[in-house]
Amino acid sequence: MVPTFFSLSFSRLGLWASGVILVIGFLKLLRLLLRKQKLARAMDSFPGPPTHWLFGHALEIQQTDGLDKVVSWAHQFPYAHPLWFGQFLGFLNIYEPDYVKAVYSRGDPKASDVYDFFLQWIGRGLLVLHGPKWYQHRKLLTPGFHYDVLKPYVAVFAECTHDLLDKWEKKAHEDKSFDIFCDVGHMALDTLMKCTFGKGEKGLSQSRDNNYYLAVSDLTLLTQQRLESFQYHNDFIYWLTPHGRRFLRACQIAHDHTDQVIRKRKEALKDEKEREKMQKRKHLDFLDILLEARDESGLRLSDTDIRAEVDTFMFEGHDTTTSGISWFLYCMALYPEHQQRCREEVREILGDKDSVQWDDLGKMTYLTMCIKESFRLYPPVPQVYRQLSKPVNFVDGRSLPAGSLISLHIYALHRNSTVWPDPEVFDPLRFSPENMSGRHPFAFMPFSAGPRNCIGQQFAMNEIKVVTALCLLRFEFSLDPSRLPIKMPQLILRSKNGIHLHLKSLSRGPGK
Ligand code: HEM
Ligand SMILES: *[C@@H]1O[C@H](CO)[C@@H](O)[C@H](O)[C@H]1NC(C)=O
Ligand SMILES: *[C@@H]1O[C@H](CO)[C@@H](O)[C@H](O)[C@H]1NC(C)=O
């Protein structure tokens, strides 16, 4: 009797369970369909490219010329058009300065449909937070980017660059082109760790850094892919797929790395002498600020908050500059006349010194214009997303209700031919002071704009100037025509096949 009772109740249970799952599934689908309808109706007055019945525009975006496809859509559909990643996730894609201003001069929150894909990895740090907590963290961390804090970093940038250049000196001897992206990435990570996390002699091991670096590239690849693949949007389903599991493994590696950075510093702070040293230092670094921070009522940041900020800065602070430096060097190889002019400028400023000082940075005007022009054509962050917290009215009379999703296509914005005549031409003079005045303030936004702009932009510009100036002094860069880069957005702008360049060593040898 007992077994029949059990088997009976088990089969009943099974029946119930499948019934419940079916109902939940049905309700979920209904919710998605209603939302899709709402998003679509809000964009009624915006015509756009035809959508695939299942994939939306994802198939076109994922092709190797996906970025330029959007530029051609921008010509076809002035101001804005709907952009669908699958059937349920639809954005108004914008790329016209006045449209961008209407949204980005306000502080609307990030689109959680996109940024939630980061949560498992970077948690709720500055990039993802919104509302009062974002404001509190932003206020707390802003002093970490004060001019007095940034000044001594110039020496760190130079030191890390010299390590990179010595490595390249060996590779250059082999007389073959090689991928610079990966080496630049290690250098940028090293720099960031030294500046903001005070990595010193007792630094983390090389192999750990390397694993971290590989994990981050994988995480950016997987996140971009997830964003574009509707079948991966649901957390539960994603974690069951091989890609989802790979994502979780990479997260684990990244978190181990972060935990170690935090633990090392906490241990150091326990040491009385170290503590005294820290209090004597005129300015705290980023990690000091996080660990010492108290709010008005004297409450510390929680461990979860600290880890989220460290993970956020770790990612935002090295991958973006890596992309910026690598594409800049590619531009220099592509346009040797500009390369030569930058080099002459740097030689004139530095003379016989082989290092850069803070005061030199302001004098590198041509180099700076070339960096900006390369940011225009190869924006390190090509696309960002928002969700409207209140309705917005655009210049041409069209509008969007609260709750709508916005995709700002920085890549297409930077190719608007009214603002940038002959947009594909590399012309640094576009950024001469005379040509800058009068230009629409939202026509160029590699660092985004408004209240949610990049907190690290000054840090980034300084780093890029120091690194590229020293690179140009030491090497001549040229293309490998058989391996031209293929642009591919992966949260940051990467190249599908790396960035392969030929390097020719100039007269200054290592250690000179
Ligand atoms: C070339 C280098 C860089 C570029 C192009 C860049 C670009 C951007 C962009 C476009 C955003 C807005 C993101 C969004 O709306 O989703 C952003 C935000 C942010 N960036 Fe950067 N970034 C760079 C370097 C850095 C560095 C070096 C750091 C830190 C050391 C950093 C830290 C951050 C943080 C924390 C945010 C979020 C700010 C907030 O929402 O309050 N970035 N960056
Ligand atoms: C470029 O910007 C101008 C001026 O803001 C605007 O009138 C034009 O429609 C834009 N072009 C595209 C393709 O968005
Ligand atoms: C402004 O830009 C144009 C076109 O790029 C260029 O020919 C001109 O020399 C620039 N003006 C200055 C003052 O740099």
Side-chain angles (χ1 to χ4, degrees):
M1 202 175 140
V2 174
T4 32
F5 171 76
F6 267 113
S7 52
L8 203 75
S9 62
F10 265 127
S11 61
R12 274 231 185 113
L13 213 66
L15 218 66
W16 269 103
S18 34
V20 168
I21 288 172
L22 230 95
V23 170
I24 292 178
F26 178 74
L27 287 176
K28 255 200 132 63
L29 188 69
L30 198 68
R31 217 184 71 199
L32 281 172
L33 283 169
L34 285 173
R35 193 173 115 111
K36 170 201 164 73
Q37 208 184 25
K38 200 169 143 219
L39 287 173
R41 195 173 302 144
M43 294 192 283
D44 251 356
S45 51
F46 295 92
T51 51
H52 183 276
W53 69 272
L54 186 59
F55 296 106
H57 302 110
L59 295 179
E60 280 139 306
I61 299 286
Q62 281 166 349
Q63 311 234 311
T64 50
D65 63 346
L67 283 168
D68 292 305
K69 185 96 210 170
V70 177
V71 175
S72 75
W73 287 339
H75 286 130
Q76 214 177 329
F77 306 100
Y79 302 109
H81 68 74
L83 180 66
W84 288 90
F85 295 151
Q87 275 305 295
F88 305 114
L89 192 53
F91 298 83
L92 186 70
N93 191 40
I94 60 175
Y95 32 72
E96 191 273 332
D98 279 322
Y99 258 62
V100 174
K101 182 178 170 195
V103 178
Y104 277 76
S105 55
R106 327 191 306 190
D108 296 74
K110 305 293 175 72
S112 57
D113 295 272
V114 176
Y115 290 81
D116 279 359
F117 295 153
F118 290 88
L119 282 185
Q120 191 75 28
W121 167 21
I122 60 173
R124 290 179 205 279
L126 268 192
L127 185 71
V128 181
L129 281 172
H130 62 94
K133 195 157 175 194
W134 165 76
Y135 185 77
Q136 182 209 6
H137 282 213
R138 178 97 183 192
K139 217 169 80 185
L140 202 88
L141 290 170
T142 299
F145 292 91
H146 188 275
Y147 152 100
D148 284 325
V149 181
L150 296 184
K151 230 170 154 175
Y153 290 168
V154 170
V156 184
F157 299 152
E159 184 194 311
C160 293
T161 312
H162 283 303
D163 293 345
L164 172 75
L165 296 178
D166 291 345
K167 191 190 246 174
W168 281 356
E169 201 77 53
K170 293 193 194 101
K171 289 196 184 177
H173 273 308
E174 289 171 25
D175 219 22
K176 277 194 309 224
S177 77
F178 60 88
D179 175 24
I180 61 162
F181 203 97
C182 196
D183 291 338
V184 172
H186 282 106
M187 184 277 303
L189 181 61
D190 200 34
T191 311
L192 186 77
M193 300 278 290
K194 282 189 172 132
C195 293
T196 58
F197 303 111
K199 172 181 156 187
E201 332 271 272
K202 302 181 284 185
L204 305 175
S205 73
Q206 205 72 46
S207 68
R208 197 173 255 277
D209 277 4
N210 193 42
N211 284 340
Y212 175 76
Y213 180 77
L214 294 175
V216 169
S217 346
D218 210 29
L219 287 167
T220 56
L221 176 119
L222 291 167
T223 307
Q224 180 80 28
Q225 178 198 52
R226 184 173 179 200
L227 175 60
E228 290 165 359
S229 316
F230 74 92
Q231 44 314 7
Y232 284 169
H233 286 178
N234 180 282
D235 265 346
F236 183 72
I237 295 173
Y238 187 59
W239 303 137
L240 291 176
T241 67
H243 281 133
R245 288 204 300 275
R246 196 169 109 200
F247 185 92
L248 290 177
R249 275 198 303 276
C251 273
Q252 191 59 48
I253 295 172
H255 291 162
D256 286 348
H257 186 261
T258 313
D259 287 341
Q260 210 195 351
V261 170
I262 299 175
R263 190 159 7 98
K264 284 229 145 129
R265 176 62 64 91
K266 279 191 169 165
E267 271 164 24
L269 286 179
K270 277 196 200 123
D271 187 49
E272 269 310 311
K273 269 202 214 122
E274 284 289 327
R275 249 196 117 73
E276 261 170 45
K277 251 203 262 163
M278 183 198 89
Q279 274 151 359
K280 271 198 209 124
R281 261 187 283 148
K282 236 170 74 214
H283 287 278
L284 306 180
D285 74 12
F286 173 74
L287 201 51
D288 295 325
I289 291 177
L290 282 174
L291 292 173
E292 294 296 304
R294 303 272 193 289
D295 68 4
E296 288 84 27
S297 48
L299 231 61
R300 280 173 184 279
L301 288 181
S302 72
D303 281 356
T304 324
D305 282 353
I306 292 177
R307 178 154 115 187
E309 289 303 352
V310 173
D311 276 324
T312 299
F313 275 74
M314 212 69 109
F315 158 58
E316 269 284 333
H318 95 272
D319 235 12
T320 47
T321 48
T322 302
S323 168
I325 293 167
S326 303
W327 285 103
F328 169 84
L329 291 175
Y330 166 71
C331 287
M332 291 292 98
L334 196 54
Y335 307 106
E337 66 283 10
H338 295 298
Q339 179 178 167
Q340 193 49 29
R341 224 181 126 179
C342 286
R343 184 174 294 117
E344 277 160 18
E345 181 185 74
V346 176
R347 275 192 185 141
E348 217 158 90
I349 295 167
L350 297 187
D352 282 337
K353 294 185 294 176
D354 76 338
S355 199
V356 184
Q357 250 96 53
W358 174 265
D359 294 332
D360 299 326
L361 298 182
K363 299 180 197 152
M364 301 176 173
T365 49
Y366 199 75
L367 179 73
T368 307
M369 292 195 292
C370 287
I371 293 173
K372 288 185 178 164
E373 180 66 345
S374 88
F375 279 1
R376 183 183 68 80
L377 284 166
Y378 304 95
V381 179
Q383 205 173 357
V384 289
Y385 310 86
R386 292 283 171 91
Q387 178 156 32
L388 298 183
S389 57
K390 48 184 199 275
V392 63
N393 296 309
F394 293 111
V395 280
D396 60 348
R398 288 183 288 185
S399 64
L400 275 182
S404 303
L405 301 173
I406 298 281
S407 140
L408 162 58
H409 208 278
I410 298 175
Y411 183 90
L413 173 74
H414 287 178
R415 281 168 167 74
N416 175 310
S417 54
T418 315
V419 187
W420 313 102
D422 297 322
E424 292 301 332
V425 173
F426 185 89
D427 178 7
L429 289 181
R430 299 178 200 268
F431 291 96
S432 70
E434 290 84 351
N435 280 334
M436 287 280 278
S437 66
R439 184 170 295 139
H440 198 300
F442 288 82
F444 177 64
M445 27 194 290
F447 295 105
S448 188
R452 294 304 295 267
N453 67 353
C454 175
I455 197 174
Q457 57 183 296
Q458 207 50 54
F459 179 105
M461 280 311 287
N462 293 347
E463 176 178 347
I464 295 180
K465 283 188 210 174
V466 174
V467 174
T468 55
L470 293 174
C471 283
L472 291 172
L473 280 185
R474 189 82 86 81
F475 295 102
E476 198 172 271
F477 295 84
S478 55
L479 296 180
D480 178 350
S482 69
R483 292 170 128 174
L484 296 177
I486 300 166
K487 284 173 286 201
M488 174 178 60
Q490 227 176 65
L491 310 183
I492 59 152
L493 186 67
R494 284 180 199 275
S495 161
K496 196 171 180 177
N497 51 346
I499 296 185
H500 287 263
L501 298 179
H502 281 290
L503 271 64
K504 193 175 125 213
S505 180
L506 296 169
S507 54
R508 294 175 180 230
K512 264 222 200 127

